[in-house]
Amino acid sequence: MRVGELSQRTGASVRSLRYYEERGLIEADRSTSGQRQYDAAVVDRVLLIRQLLTAGLGTAAIVDVLPCMAEPASQTSLLTARLVAERDRLTDEIAQRVATRDALEQIIGAAPPLQG
Amino acid sequence: MRVGELSQRTGASVRSLRYYEERGLIEADRSTSGQRQYDAAVVDRVLLIRQLLTAGLGTAAIVDVLPCMAEPASQTSLLTARLVAERDRLTDEIAQRVATRDALEQIIGAAPPLQG
DNA sequence: GTAGAACCTGACATCAATGTGAGGGGCAAG
DNA sequence: CTTGCCCCTCACATTGATGTCAGGTTCTAC
């Protein structure tokens, strides 16, 4: 498929897809005229990339993490360190957000009685 | 206290403190020569601001949220909507991060046996 | 073959919080 | 009064993912 279709199937903008390629997250064959041609498997890969981005990972981290998710055997001790670092960062962010959400929750619960 | 001391006490850079003021998050008296003079209560306020920033709230959201945390009676239905919106956003982000952390966890657990 | 959609590259814009540097004033200690 | 540190404002830089525009090529359908 071409980039427009991949965009529709993944929700990523065409711009973003080209950016992912630039960062080494995805690859594409090229037609003789230079247009990108994507393998069907790329759809899931992009969806995964988007999940990781949404979770706050950067493209540099994703470049390291993705191969480990596709092929566990590719995990070296260096990559494991990276995985652990990202996991720990997520754990911290989760704790921070849970604490803040609870604080907001409490304020919401203590809302003054409605006036009208 | 002056801005340098507030910076030390809160961990926020002087630059950030001035930025918080610009965004309406904190206030300061001015000495005759124009130097900022902070009330002791500002320390806790800044710490709270930093917590909210770390949790991913923007300064615009914090402007709305802060008064409600200091004075529940200041909560209008409009502000409640804002609080709810931020809480829901946090809930989504937490779910996203927990899912991703668990995925990383699983990969880490499935690490190939150490080579050396 | 021609119109219009989809694609290409390249480059500049955006947002938010923060860094950094310039150029100048304030204040305490010697 | 000078040295040194703290403060002031203004303004430009940074980071990362994405938007957007320009100028040009390719593909699809008529």
Side-chain angles (χ1 to χ4, degrees):
Chain A
M1 82 196 72
R2 291 187 298 171
V3 72
E5 185 179 347
L6 182 59
S7 171
Q8 278 178 232
R9 291 205 185 174
T10 59
S13 70
V14 170
R15 174 69 175 87
S16 293
L17 292 172
R18 293 201 265 249
Y19 177 68
Y20 301 160
E21 179 177 329
E22 183 190 326
R23 302 276 90 185
L25 300 180
I26 56 176
E27 291 179 8
D29 291 333
R30 295 301 184 109
S31 73
T32 52
S33 63
Q35 300 202 345
R36 290 172 180 81
Q37 200 65 27
Y38 294 98
D39 189 277
V42 176
V43 173
D44 283 341
R45 192 175 173 93
V46 169
L47 291 175
L48 181 53
I49 289 169
R50 292 185 74 70
Q51 180 197 329
L52 295 172
L53 281 174
T54 304
L57 298 232
T59 51
I62 298 176
V63 163
D64 286 356
V65 167
L66 265 185
C68 302
M69 301 186 89
E71 179 49 75
S74 68
Q75 189 174 159
T76 67
S77 59
L78 193 67
L79 288 181
T80 301
R82 177 108 215 202
L83 290 165
V84 168
E86 293 299 330
R87 179 201 60 185
D88 291 349
R89 199 181 48 70
L90 284 175
T91 299
D92 289 348
E93 288 186 14
I94 289 164
Q96 181 70 44
R97 278 161 171 74
V98 166
T100 299
R101 183 190 55 180
D102 290 352
L104 291 184
E105 194 72 57
Q106 210 168 338
I107 300 169
I108 292 167
L114 292 176
Q115 296 294 100
Chain B
M1 82 196 72
R2 291 185 298 172
V3 73
E5 186 179 347
L6 181 60
S7 172
Q8 279 179 231
R9 290 203 187 174
T10 58
S13 70
V14 170
R15 174 68 175 90
S16 292
L17 292 172
R18 293 202 264 251
Y19 176 69
Y20 300 160
E21 180 178 328
E22 184 190 325
R23 303 276 90 184
L25 300 179
I26 56 176
E27 291 180 6
D29 291 333
R30 295 299 184 110
S31 74
T32 52
S33 63
Q35 301 200 348
R36 289 172 180 82
Q37 200 66 28
Y38 293 98
D39 190 275
V42 177
V43 173
D44 283 340
R45 192 175 172 92
V46 171
L47 291 175
L48 182 53
I49 289 168
R50 292 185 75 69
Q51 182 198 327
L52 295 172
L53 281 174
T54 302
L57 298 232
T59 51
I62 298 177
V63 162
D64 286 355
V65 167
L66 264 184
C68 302
M69 302 187 87
E71 179 52 74
S74 68
Q75 189 175 161
T76 67
S77 59
L78 193 67
L79 288 181
T80 301
R82 178 105 214 204
L83 290 164
V84 167
E86 293 298 330
R87 181 202 58 185
D88 291 348
R89 200 181 47 70
L90 284 175
T91 298
D92 290 348
E93 288 187 12
I94 289 165
Q96 180 71 46
R97 279 161 171 74
V98 166
T100 300
R101 183 190 54 180
D102 290 351
L104 292 184
E105 193 72 56
Q106 210 169 336
I107 299 168
I108 292 168
L114 292 175
Q115 296 294 99

